Amino acid sequence: MAAVYTCLAIMVTLETVYSFYLPGLAPVTYCEEAQVNCPSSIAVYVNRLNSIETVIPYEYHSFDFCTDVDETQSPVENLGQVVFGERIRPSKYSLTFNKNETCKTACQKVYKEENKDDVNKLNFLKKGISLNYQHHWIIDNMPLTWCYQVEGAQVYCSPGFPVGCYVTSEQRRKDACVINSLFTEKDTYYLFNHVDLLITYHPGSLEDWGSKLKGIYGRIVSAKVVPRSIKHPTKSADTACAASAPVLGLKGSTLKGELRFNYTYSVYWTQNNQIRWSSRWDYILESMPHTNIQWFSILNSLVIVVFLSGMVAMIMLRTLHKDIARYNQMDSTDDAQEEFGWKLVHGDVFRPPRKGMVLAVLVGCGSQIFFMTLITLVFACLGFLSPANRGALMTCALVLYVCLGTPSGYVSSRLYKMFGGEKWKSNVLLTALLCPGVVFGVFFVLNLVLWINGSSAAIPFTTLLALLALWFGISVPLTFVGAYFGFRRRPIEHPVRTNQIPRQIPEQSLYTRPVPGIIMGGVLPFGCIFIQLFFILTSIWSHQMYYMFGFLFLVFIILLITCSEATVLLCYFHLCAEDYHWWWRSFLTSGFTAVYLFIYCIHFYATKLEIQGAASTFLYFGYTFLIVFLFFLLTGTIGFFACFFFVTKIYSVVKVD
């Protein structure tokens, strides 16, 4: 419990928490004229740009947009935002509450053919357009959304808008190029250098907000954008940003002479009395693709999984009840009968496994991941980790993982002592360094790839030092503390004694052999998560918001149940076949679900994603390996403990001579 309290204290110090708003964010009231606690100016922040065609994001200034502002005014980013590659910076765009602006110039850009730096900047901008990079702007902590119609006359609001549109010689991009019917010239880059900002606010009232403000005031409830490509005239004109203005097309791949254009914007304010501030995210989340997907089919899948789990549990309970009754009845009779079935291996079932230290270390690290996942999902379901609180999910997961080193050391030491191990120093060091070292090593290599490509997702060296400090300064000492208490406890006592000479295992059939059993064990757990897995992978690699944490928590509980039941069922079959090597098999049976997860990620990459380039492919499979490895530890630990409690229970209720 001390570790949990420490985690909560650290989370409180990471960012300010408001007592009346679960996401940790309070509303801001704006006025036409600045007053006390009621500003009139609204800052527009820009975030890093990303694309569904590449895994490499870039900072806003990498594309030579309007960036000559004081970056010291940037908001403080938490640990999760830095790890996810978010880089929020102030912009040249400024708004005044309830004040419309028309064709306001943010900056002017000039590119000359003789200047190599200008040529490189323009070529990089064209590359961003061809790869469909997306802007991500923030107004009043709301993502600036680009809403457009999709199939079925539905409106989809994307939390980003494209840099531009590239019309190839073969086809046009669907999303970016359908904005303007004039985007028809082939092999042309159309730059969206003008944006129409459509801001909606909810007007204030004395009864609702209890304030005495003068004039018109309100709270922003939506921020939408309409990107446009405009070739502005050399001289200022009232119709410079009109709908009929010519488009700005960058022809070909070379710069000839001089290129000059402006970045402009218009602002239009609208009052809305229906949308409340507390529900201002609804129009974004409800329009996300796959959020209004067939909920009936999802629930139907969950019902099938629960039904199958109930059937497995019923069969196990009835069969075991008959076995235990028959064994105990045989012991009470005078006629000596030969033992058979799983009771026959009672003298070998608790024999320590080979490589017991490695198994204990893996289970200890899996316990740490299990508690981290469980607590994070609970916080997410309570609303603390909503999309409005950027980076909170990753921050919470990292802090919890660091602070939960104590359970990892305790579980690993208890198992290692139960296996009869004596190298306690090696056990503690491996528990504290092996699995986190694998994760950090792969993460460091991926970070090098991002750093070589100049990506904003490359974590700064100081942040890497901070992560190492959390690892060696908090996680490792807590692991030693847990191991200290684990080794001080008495070894776990088994219900039956272990024979000195191991029993010979008879010839096994195909389905009771180790490899087929392990392969079959991961099918049912994977079947209960693959639908939810599609949503998660889509939100990660298509840069969409994920907010269905309640459903995810339900799927996690079902995963816990199915992993346990599938492992216990196969363990029972193996014991009945007189195969007592269940320690490693219990861990690998449910852990094999991670292999199916990896195969599904390959399928998702091949069929759903449009990732291009060797670096992006390497990054995709690198991050996929990290996810699969952590998932392997999680599911393997669940199956191990379920099987351990099952074996301990059944051999404690039968009479053994």
Side-chain angles (χ1 to χ4, degrees):
M1 291 301 293
V4 176
Y5 292 139
T6 304
C7 293
L8 293 176
I10 293 176
M11 292 180 65
V12 170
T13 58
L14 287 176
E15 52 184 319
T16 305
V17 177
Y18 294 88
S19 57
F20 296 101
Y21 297 93
L22 284 179
L25 302 168
V28 178
T29 303
Y30 297 97
C31 298
E32 282 188 328
E33 297 181 2
Q35 304 174 43
V36 179
N37 298 326
C38 187
S40 60
S41 61
I42 304 169
V44 179
Y45 293 98
V46 293
N47 204 342
R48 49 92 176 94
L49 287 82
N50 53 29
S51 170
I52 61 174
E53 299 184 20
T54 177
V55 185
I56 304 174
Y58 289 100
E59 284 203 50
Y60 185 79
H61 64 74
S62 300
F63 289 93
D64 193 37
F65 297 127
C66 302
T67 56
D68 51 339
V69 293
D70 185 9
E71 293 193 356
T72 58
Q73 303 299 322
S74 303
V76 178
E77 297 162 345
N78 56 41
L79 183 60
Q81 289 177 293
V82 176
V83 172
F84 268 135
E86 292 193 10
R87 302 294 184 266
I88 301 177
R89 302 288 184 263
S91 71
K92 293 276 290 184
Y93 302 84
S94 61
L95 309 180
T96 302
F97 178 75
N98 205 30
K99 181 181 179 182
N100 293 336
E101 300 279 0
T102 303
C103 205
K104 189 174 181 180
T105 301
C107 67
Q108 185 180 75
K109 291 294 179 179
V110 180
Y111 299 93
K112 297 182 180 180
E113 181 182 3
E114 61 272 13
N115 192 326
K116 292 185 178 180
D117 190 34
D118 289 349
V119 174
N120 292 333
K121 290 179 180 179
L122 187 61
N123 289 336
F124 192 76
L125 182 61
K126 291 179 180 178
K127 180 182 177 182
I129 296 175
S130 64
L131 290 176
N132 199 22
Y133 269 86
Q134 303 279 316
H135 286 280
H136 293 280
W137 292 9
I138 302 170
I139 297 178
D140 190 41
N141 202 47
M142 283 278 294
L144 191 63
T145 55
W146 173 42
C147 299
Y148 57 92
Q149 280 193 348
V150 293
E151 296 180 0
Q154 295 182 350
V155 177
Y156 168 53
C157 292
S158 169
F161 62 96
V163 174
C165 161
Y166 175 50
V167 179
T168 65
S169 57
E170 299 177 356
Q171 60 183 4
R172 301 189 303 172
R173 295 193 183 280
K174 294 182 180 180
D175 294 340
C177 293
V178 296
I179 298 177
N180 197 318
S181 59
L182 299 178
F183 297 162
T184 56
E185 193 171 354
K186 296 181 179 180
D187 194 24
T188 303
Y189 301 84
Y190 293 97
L191 175 66
F192 292 146
N193 59 327
H194 175 86
V195 291
D196 291 326
L197 304 179
L198 313 177
I199 314 298
T200 305
Y201 70 94
H202 181 85
S205 64
L206 211 62
E207 295 77 11
D208 293 343
W209 299 350
S211 59
K212 297 180 180 180
L213 301 176
K214 299 178 181 179
I216 299 177
Y217 58 96
R219 295 171 180 171
I220 296 177
V221 293
S222 74
K224 300 180 181 180
V225 62
V226 179
R228 296 165 57 195
S229 177
I230 297 179
K231 185 178 181 181
H232 299 92
T234 55
K235 296 182 179 180
S236 60
D238 296 337
T239 60
C241 298
S244 58
V247 296
L248 175 63
L250 309 179
K251 184 68 175 177
S253 58
T254 59
L255 175 62
K256 297 180 180 180
E258 180 181 276
L259 176 64
R260 184 187 302 265
F261 60 86
N262 297 338
Y263 283 99
T264 58
Y265 64 102
S266 301
V267 185
Y268 304 99
W269 290 85
T270 306
Q271 177 179 320
N272 190 309
N273 297 320
Q274 305 300 322
I275 304 176
R276 309 288 295 183
W277 184 89
S278 57
S279 59
R280 64 178 187 163
W281 283 77
D282 291 354
Y283 82 97
I284 303 176
L285 301 179
E286 290 175 358
S287 66
M288 285 286 178
H290 311 302
T291 54
N292 292 328
I293 201 164
Q294 308 134 357
W295 284 95
F296 176 78
S297 64
I298 296 176
L299 294 176
N300 186 47
S301 300
L302 293 177
V303 169
I304 293 175
V305 170
V306 173
F307 176 75
L308 291 176
S309 302
M311 291 293 293
V312 171
M314 184 185 305
I315 294 173
M316 291 296 300
L317 290 176
R318 293 189 62 182
T319 306
L320 277 175
H321 181 72
K322 291 181 179 180
D323 288 346
I324 294 172
R326 184 168 64 252
Y327 288 152
N328 290 336
Q329 184 179 6
M330 289 170 50
D331 292 333
S332 61
T333 58
D334 295 334
D335 298 334
Q337 300 183 22
E338 184 180 358
E339 295 179 345
F340 61 92
W342 54 269
K343 185 182 178 182
L344 195 61
V345 295
H346 65 83
D348 299 275
V349 71
F350 290 106
R351 189 177 302 280
R354 298 177 181 177
K355 307 294 182 181
M357 179 182 290
V358 179
L359 179 61
V361 169
L362 295 180
V363 174
C365 295
S367 304
Q368 186 177 7
I369 297 172
F370 172 80
F371 287 114
M372 177 203 71
T373 306
L374 179 63
I375 299 174
T376 302
L377 286 177
V378 170
F379 283 157
C381 291
L382 294 177
F384 289 103
L385 310 179
S386 69
N389 203 355
R390 291 178 177 82
L393 181 66
M394 178 58 74
T395 302
C396 178
L398 288 175
V399 171
L400 285 174
Y401 182 82
V402 168
C403 295
L404 290 172
T406 302
S408 175
Y410 182 81
V411 170
S412 177
S413 61
R414 290 282 285 163
L415 290 179
Y416 184 63
K417 191 173 183 179
M418 181 184 67
F419 294 154
E422 298 178 353
K423 300 179 180 179
W424 63 271
K425 294 181 181 179
S426 301
N427 173 258
V428 176
L429 289 175
L430 286 175
T431 305
L433 302 178
L434 179 61
C435 294
V438 171
V439 174
F440 185 83
V442 175
F443 184 78
F444 182 77
V445 173
L446 298 177
N447 194 67
L448 284 179
V449 176
L450 293 170
W451 176 75
I452 293 173
N453 286 272
S455 172
S456 65
I459 296 179
F461 181 71
T462 54
T463 305
L464 284 176
L465 292 180
L467 292 175
L468 289 174
L470 290 174
W471 180 14
F472 289 99
I474 299 178
S475 181
V476 172
L478 289 177
T479 304
F480 275 77
V481 171
Y484 171 77
F485 287 105
F487 280 115
R488 281 179 59 90
R489 296 285 302 274
R490 297 180 57 185
I492 299 175
E493 296 183 359
H494 301 307
V496 292
R497 291 177 297 179
T498 302
N499 297 334
Q500 293 183 355
I501 302 176
R503 181 184 180 86
Q504 185 176 1
I505 299 175
E507 184 71 19
Q508 298 293 308
S509 60
L510 177 63
Y511 71 92
T512 58
R513 291 177 182 174
V515 175
I518 292 173
I519 294 176
M520 290 187 298
V523 174
L524 185 59
F526 178 77
C528 75
I529 67 169
F530 81 96
I531 296 178
Q532 191 68 14
L533 186 63
F534 172 80
F535 295 137
I536 296 175
L537 293 179
T538 301
S539 65
I540 292 175
W541 301 112
S542 297
H543 312 293
Q544 299 175 6
M545 294 182 183
Y546 186 88
Y547 65 97
M548 297 182 292
F549 293 109
F551 187 76
L552 181 61
F553 183 77
L554 177 62
V555 172
F556 177 73
I557 298 300
I558 295 177
L559 175 67
L560 174 65
I561 296 173
T562 51
C563 280
S564 302
E565 291 181 346
T567 307
V568 166
L569 181 62
L570 291 174
C571 180
Y572 174 74
F573 288 154
H574 294 141
L575 291 178
C576 289
E578 301 180 20
D579 186 355
Y580 51 84
H581 294 308
W582 63 272
W583 296 101
W584 272 105
R585 188 177 295 167
S586 63
F587 185 88
L588 297 176
T589 297
S590 57
F592 201 80
T593 309
V595 177
Y596 292 107
L597 170 60
F598 183 72
I599 296 174
Y600 184 82
C601 289
I602 297 176
H603 168 75
F604 188 84
Y605 171 83
T607 60
K608 303 297 181 181
L609 298 181
E610 302 175 4
I611 293 178
Q612 303 176 9
S616 295
T617 302
F618 179 79
L619 290 170
Y620 174 84
F621 284 102
Y623 287 120
T624 299
F625 171 78
L626 292 180
I627 297 173
V628 169
F629 178 68
L630 296 176
F631 190 75
F632 169 73
L633 296 176
L634 171 66
T635 53
T637 300
I638 293 173
F640 176 84
F641 278 113
C643 200
F644 176 73
F645 291 135
F646 168 75
V647 173
T648 303
K649 183 64 177 178
I650 64 173
Y651 282 97
S652 63
V653 295
V654 295
K655 298 178 182 179
V656 179
D657 294 335

